[in-house]
């Protein structure tokens, strides 16, 4: 069984020479926009192998002298940990002289077994034999009066060991380094910092719940960090693409602390291809070198040109191409007119009002095939509202056009329900039981006990009990059923899979297993769909959407050779925050104002996910607002390119099973 197939999705085939130049001259040309050296590898594991080898060599070169490493928390360094652990096991590399420092530490910590140093010890130090006395952290229960003293002692310890030999850190989504957030002063030393909302969100994986995240942290300042002899910056996944492009290619600015490392003489950025996707040599390679023009790159280049000169596709001129380093396309197509027509038609053919295929129509230039005219459709939704948030208009259109539509909610989504929602329903149960003369019933007693527990006994940030998870999951089930009835789906076509990996009672989930995949396989064989929709969110390598996608793709991988699957197509949609880039879009489903309003109302059926939802994140917009803004922006882009004007558009990319 193959997990992690989403990591192999390459929406754009990147020429290897763009990220693996053959010599220094070629590298200099390709990286002309980059202000820091960047190593790009197809996967984090390949980069980790190279980094681990360098670290081992440096440790050996130090001999019996201390080798000091400063590490950030989070998941970014984990591939390096695994590679170093393997090297120790296979090659006997000694880590006895290695000293570890956390780049920051949360204060006050709930207990000594939590926090950054505890995470580093659990995932790395104990596995390579670093002595406990070589793990240097801050007191887990610092009082306000002791913070200053602790900072001095921490800095003195680093100084006595000769400074930091190597700093390894991931980058925050806003370019933060540790908890040095945008606006941090370059000259500031080690200090106490109040966590901003983004830092809190990023710390949840360390503390399991948002409520457990301490409000402050002691962080090494940018000045101290810059004194490290070597610096390695890590970024994995599409979610880090924008911050990497800014930190590497734009001027230094206090609004992006990571950009300050441009001035360091021994810094290197390591990314996978997804995190590097917005660097010029990957995203707009024609600006630095001659390239092999694929249809997707041609579309991307011409859309980029339209945005540069503020013109629709059919108004681009030969001069526009020549002035913006796209003269090669004139050679390929002969003229701007021919290139414009080719790309205009290519994008035009993505638009369809028939997402299940138009019956009795020529489908040679349509994104979906006409036959079978009435398809069995299976929509996978990671949480019980992602279906309507991400593709509610298409969902409704498939039902109205007579297709046999099933929807499968992969997880219960129970932890995304606030306690107040449960208390409200428990109060309803209690009052109903009393009204019906059932005040002595077990139902009344149970509702009252659980309500009292939530109001008076539950510890803030604790793991959810099975009973609370049941009530929260049931709330989401019934909201999903309500939305599905509104859309018109048959009751027996609504499937709640409750994949086990999700059911931990906290934010941190278990890795997916064969059990999760088998549940999806059973449903696939039961429905035998002609059309499958999956959430194609590739941004967060450890998020629920990504895990649900990997489970679905692993199941598809198991059934792809079966006879019924030969007539199955798979479409990927995106979540509420971002849309597919236009060069990737293969099906664009337009919505009228009435259809967009219908979609909004279907999202509003999920009342627990409105203002009081626990995980709305930094974005103050509600889910329906994010969704509408995204869909309207896609429609506006199509209009700006000279295509038809629509109220909103939902977009999809086709997935082809990997051999």
């Amino acid at each position: 069984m193959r997990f992690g197939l989403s990591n192999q999705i390459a929406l754009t085939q990147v020429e290897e020479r763009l990220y693996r130049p053959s010599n220094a001259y070629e590298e200099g040309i390709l990286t002309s926009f980059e202000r820091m050296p960047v190593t790009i590898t197809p996967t984090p594991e390949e980069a980790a192998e190279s980094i681990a080898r360098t670290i081992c060599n440096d440790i050996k070169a130090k001999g019996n002298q201390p080798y000091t490493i400063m590490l950030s928390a989070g998941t970014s360094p984990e591939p390096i940990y695994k590679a170093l652990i393997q090297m120790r096991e296979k090659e006997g590399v000694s880590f006895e002289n290695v000293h570890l420092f956390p780049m920051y530490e949360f204060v006050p910590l709930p207990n000594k077994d939590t926090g950054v140093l505890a995470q580093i010890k659990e995932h790395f130090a104990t596995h390579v034999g670093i002595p406990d006395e070589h793990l240097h952290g801050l007191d887990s229960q610092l009082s306000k009066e002791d913070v200053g003293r602790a900072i001095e002692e921490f800095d003195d310890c680093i100084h006595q060991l000769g400074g930091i030999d190597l700093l390894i850190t991931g980058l925050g989504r806003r370019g933060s380094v540790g908890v040095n957030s945008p606006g941090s002063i370059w000259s500031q030393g080690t200090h106490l910092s109040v966590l901003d909302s983004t830092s809190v969100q990023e710390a949840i994986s360390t503390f399991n719940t948002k409520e457990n995240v301490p409000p402050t942290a002691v962080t090494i300042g940018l000045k101290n960090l810059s004194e490290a002899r070597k610096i390695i910056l890590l970024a994995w996944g599409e979610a880090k693409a924008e911050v990497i492009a800014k930190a590497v290619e734009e001027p230094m600015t206090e609004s992006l602390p990571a950009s300050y490392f441009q001035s360091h003489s021994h810094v290197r950025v390591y990314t996978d291809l997804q995190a590097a996707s917005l660097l010029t040599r990957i995203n707009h390679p024609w600006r630095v070198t001659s390239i092999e023009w694929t249809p997707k790159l041609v579309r991307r280049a011409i859309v980029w040109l339209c945005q540069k000169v503020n013109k629709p596709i059919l108004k681009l001129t030969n001069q526009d191409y020549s002035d913006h380093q796209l003269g090669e396309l004139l050679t390929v197509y002969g003229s701007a007119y021919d290139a414009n027509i080719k790309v205009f038609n290519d994008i035009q053919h993505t638009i369809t009002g028939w997402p299940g295929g138009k019956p009795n129509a020529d489908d040679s230039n349509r994104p979906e095939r006409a036959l079978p005219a009435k398809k069995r459709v299976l929509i996978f939704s990671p949480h019980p509202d992602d279906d309507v948030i991400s593709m509610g208009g298409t969902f409704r259109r498939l039902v109205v056009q007579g297709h046999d539509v099933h929807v499968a909610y992969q997880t219960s989504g129970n932890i995304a329900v606030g306690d107040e929602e449960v208390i409200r329903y428990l109060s309803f149960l209690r009052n109903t039981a009393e009204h019906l003369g059932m005040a002595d019933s077990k139902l009344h007693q149970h509702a009252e006990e659980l309500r009292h527990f939530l109001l008076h006994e539950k510890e803030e940030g604790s793991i959810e009990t099975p009973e609370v998870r049941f009530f929260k999951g049931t709330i989401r089930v019934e909201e999903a059923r309500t939305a599905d009835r509104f859309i018109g789906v048959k009751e027996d076509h609504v499937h709640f899979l409750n994949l086990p990996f999700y059911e931990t009672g906290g934010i941190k989930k278990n890795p997916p297993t064969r059990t999760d995949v088998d549940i999806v396989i059973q449903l696939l064989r039961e429905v035998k769909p002609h059309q499958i929709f999956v959430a194609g969110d590739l941004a967060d390598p450890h998020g629920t959407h990504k895990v649900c996608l990997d489970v679905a793709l692993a199941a598809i991988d198991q059934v792809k050779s079966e006879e019924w699957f030969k007539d199955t197509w798979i479409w990927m949609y995106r979540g509420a925050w971002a849309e597919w880039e236009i060069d990737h879009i293969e099906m664009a489903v337009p919505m009228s104002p009435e259809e967009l309003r219908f979609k909004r109302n279907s999202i509003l059926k999920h009342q627990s996910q409105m203002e009081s939802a626990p995980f709305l994140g930094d974005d103050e917009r509600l889910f329906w607002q994010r969704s509408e803004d995204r869909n309207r922006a896609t429609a506006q882009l199509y209009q700006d390119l000279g295509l038809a004007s629509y109220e909103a558009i939902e977009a999809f990319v086709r997935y082809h099973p990997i051999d």
Side-chain angles (χ1 to χ4, degrees):
M1 181 168 294
R2 296 194 293 178
F3 281 110
L5 288 173
S6 65
N7 295 329
Q8 300 182 41
I9 296 175
L11 298 178
T12 300
Q13 295 299 321
V14 179
E15 291 183 62
E16 187 173 6
R17 68 182 181 88
L18 296 177
Y19 60 90
R20 282 195 178 122
S22 58
N23 54 58
Y25 175 80
E26 189 175 77
E27 183 176 9
I29 296 297
L30 291 172
T31 62
S32 56
F33 284 88
E34 296 170 18
R35 300 163 183 258
M36 281 190 278
V38 181
T39 295
I40 304 171
T41 56
T43 66
E45 288 71 27
E46 185 174 328
E49 185 78 17
S50 173
I51 295 168
R53 176 61 58 199
T54 299
I55 293 172
C56 288
N57 291 339
D58 288 348
I59 291 172
K60 291 176 182 177
K62 273 275 191 172
N64 294 324
Q65 297 299 311
Y67 184 79
T68 57
I69 304 176
M70 182 168 283
L71 294 164
S72 66
T75 57
S76 294
E78 288 184 0
I80 301 172
Y81 297 162
K82 292 177 182 177
L84 287 170
I85 292 167
Q86 290 174 358
M87 286 182 184
R88 180 179 185 263
E89 292 173 350
K90 293 179 180 178
E91 303 174 19
V93 179
S94 174
F95 288 79
E96 290 182 356
N97 292 319
V98 173
H99 290 253
L100 293 181
F101 290 86
M103 192 173 165
Y104 53 93
E105 188 58 274
F106 301 95
V107 292
L109 288 174
N111 58 69
K112 65 180 181 179
D113 297 322
T114 59
V116 179
L117 189 61
Q119 188 183 83
I120 293 170
K121 181 178 180 179
E122 177 187 355
H123 293 289
F124 175 51
T126 57
H127 300 280
V128 294
I130 298 175
D132 283 350
E133 58 268 25
H134 289 185
L135 305 180
H136 306 282
L138 293 157
D139 185 348
S140 62
Q141 296 295 324
L142 277 177
S143 66
K144 294 178 182 179
E145 293 75 17
D146 292 333
V147 169
R149 173 191 54 78
I151 287 175
E152 287 183 13
E153 292 176 353
F154 191 75
D155 286 343
D156 285 345
C157 184
I158 294 173
H159 179 73
Q160 290 168 13
L161 288 167
I164 299 299
D165 289 300
L166 176 63
L167 166 65
I168 302 177
T169 178
L171 299 188
R173 297 192 184 204
R174 297 172 61 208
S176 57
V177 181
V179 288
N180 292 288
S181 303
S184 296
I185 302 170
W186 171 246
S187 59
Q188 194 168 21
T190 306
H191 62 283
L192 185 71
S193 177
V194 177
L195 270 61
D196 63 12
S197 58
T198 301
S199 297
V200 170
Q201 289 293 325
E202 292 175 343
I204 288 176
S205 61
T206 301
F207 293 95
N208 193 54
T209 67
K210 184 177 180 179
E211 292 76 14
N212 277 347
V213 178
T216 56
V218 172
T219 183
I220 311 301
L222 293 170
K223 177 179 180 294
N224 306 64
L225 294 175
S226 68
E227 293 171 355
R229 283 179 273 279
K230 285 185 181 179
I231 297 176
I232 290 176
L233 304 180
L234 306 173
W236 318 125
E238 186 183 21
K240 298 296 177 70
E242 184 175 354
V243 71
I244 280 294
K246 289 180 178 179
V248 169
E249 295 191 344
E250 295 184 7
M252 290 188 293
T253 171
E254 66 177 22
S255 65
L256 198 77
S259 67
Y260 281 126
F261 290 125
Q262 293 175 12
S263 62
H264 198 280
S265 57
H266 289 93
V267 64
R268 180 162 288 274
V269 180
Y270 286 84
T271 80
D272 58 9
L273 275 170
Q274 290 181 348
S277 61
L278 294 183
L279 292 176
T280 299
R281 58 170 150 152
I282 305 298
N283 194 33
H284 302 136
W286 60 86
R287 300 184 68 190
V288 293
T289 187
S290 296
I291 62 171
E292 181 181 339
W293 285 104
T294 64
K296 280 192 173 185
L297 275 177
V298 172
R299 193 199 289 190
R300 182 187 302 176
I302 292 181
V303 170
W304 172 81
L305 181 58
C306 289
Q307 294 170 333
K308 275 286 185 183
V309 299
N310 197 27
K311 290 181 180 180
I313 295 172
L314 296 179
K315 287 189 177 182
L316 295 174
T317 66
N318 287 356
Q319 191 66 44
D320 293 327
Y321 281 78
S322 298
D323 288 347
H324 293 84
Q325 301 163 289
L326 289 173
E328 278 189 4
L329 285 180
L330 299 179
T331 303
V332 172
Y333 287 98
S335 70
Y337 175 82
D338 291 321
N340 296 346
I341 287 292
K342 170 67 176 65
V343 171
F344 182 88
N345 287 337
D346 183 31
I347 297 176
Q348 177 70 41
H349 293 156
T350 66
I351 302 173
T352 180
W354 298 84
K358 187 173 184 179
N360 305 314
D362 177 7
D363 59 11
S364 55
N365 286 319
R366 291 181 175 275
E368 249 295 356
R369 62 215 188 280
L371 298 176
K374 302 300 181 185
K375 296 179 174 65
R376 288 186 301 277
V377 179
L378 178 56
I379 299 171
F380 283 105
S381 179
H383 300 98
D385 58 353
D386 289 312
D387 52 345
V388 289
I389 289 173
S390 302
M391 55 170 291
T394 303
F395 189 174
R396 171 65 174 171
R397 184 92 45 107
L398 289 165
V399 171
V400 169
Q401 291 173 353
H403 299 285
D404 189 22
V405 181
H406 293 249
V407 60
Y409 300 106
Q410 291 170 275
T411 71
S412 66
N414 50 33
I415 65 165
V417 177
D419 289 347
E420 284 299 326
E421 289 288 324
V422 181
I423 292 168
R424 181 157 60 93
Y425 282 99
L426 289 171
S427 298
F428 173 83
L429 279 177
R430 180 194 62 180
N431 295 338
T432 300
E434 291 174 355
H435 176 73
L436 297 175
M438 301 169 61
D440 295 330
S441 68
K442 289 184 178 180
L443 177 63
H444 181 277
Q445 180 184 350
H446 188 74
E448 185 61 25
E449 289 174 354
L450 191 55
R451 182 177 179 275
H452 184 271
F453 166 75
L454 291 173
L455 282 171
H456 306 292
E457 298 176 4
K458 183 182 177 184
E459 294 182 9
E460 190 173 290
S462 62
I463 297 295
E464 301 284 17
T465 66
E467 283 185 302
V468 173
R469 296 209 311 266
F470 166 78
F471 274 95
K472 291 187 174 183
T474 301
I475 288 170
R476 299 216 67 181
V477 163
E478 295 309 320
E479 288 175 342
R481 289 191 190 279
T482 302
D484 291 333
R485 282 196 299 271
F486 182 67
I487 288 173
V489 181
K490 299 175 183 176
E491 280 199 23
D492 61 354
H493 282 31
V494 180
H495 310 273
F496 296 93
L497 305 186
N498 294 321
L499 296 182
F501 85 87
Y502 184 88
E503 297 302 321
T504 63
I507 292 174
K508 192 172 184 179
K509 305 305 179 188
N510 292 323
T513 66
R514 177 69 190 241
T515 302
D516 299 293
V517 177
D518 284 345
I519 291 171
V520 177
I521 289 174
Q522 181 179 346
L523 181 63
L524 287 170
R525 287 173 173 161
E526 175 187 329
V527 177
K528 294 183 172 59
H530 302 102
Q531 207 180 31
I532 297 172
F533 289 87
V534 294
D537 289 310
L538 311 177
D540 182 358
H542 303 281
T544 298
H545 281 218
K546 179 76 156 45
V547 176
C548 285
L549 176 61
D550 279 326
V551 169
L553 297 186
I556 288 168
D557 192 52
Q558 293 291 297
V559 303
K560 66 185 181 185
S561 61
E562 298 178 13
E563 186 64 28
W564 64 267
F565 190 85
K566 294 178 181 178
D567 198 27
T568 301
W569 285 21
I570 304 153
W571 293 97
M572 297 188 294
Y573 60 83
R574 296 297 293 269
W577 287 265
E579 187 56 273
W580 298 113
E581 294 80 2
I582 195 165
D583 45 303
H584 301 318
I585 294 173
E586 294 174 271
M587 180 163 67
V589 181
M591 289 181 283
S592 67
E594 290 77 18
E595 289 172 313
L596 187 62
R597 194 177 306 115
F598 188 96
K599 174 178 177 174
R600 178 198 303 177
N601 289 333
S602 66
I603 296 172
L604 291 173
K605 303 300 180 187
H606 295 269
Q607 283 297 307
S608 69
Q609 301 305 294
M610 295 300 108
E611 288 90 342
S612 61
F615 305 117
L616 289 172
D618 292 336
D619 195 328
E620 293 183 357
R621 296 172 299 166
L622 300 180
F623 288 123
W624 68 266
Q625 293 170 318
R626 304 179 201 190
S627 178
E628 287 192 9
D629 288 347
R630 185 194 72 175
N631 295 156
R632 284 195 171 106
T634 305
Q636 185 63 51
L637 177 56
Y638 270 72
Q639 181 180 335
D640 291 344
L641 295 174
L643 291 106
S645 176
Y646 297 103
E647 179 71 13
I649 288 177
E650 293 174 337
F652 303 86
V653 171
R654 191 175 168 195
Y655 172 78
H656 299 271
I658 296 170
D659 293 330

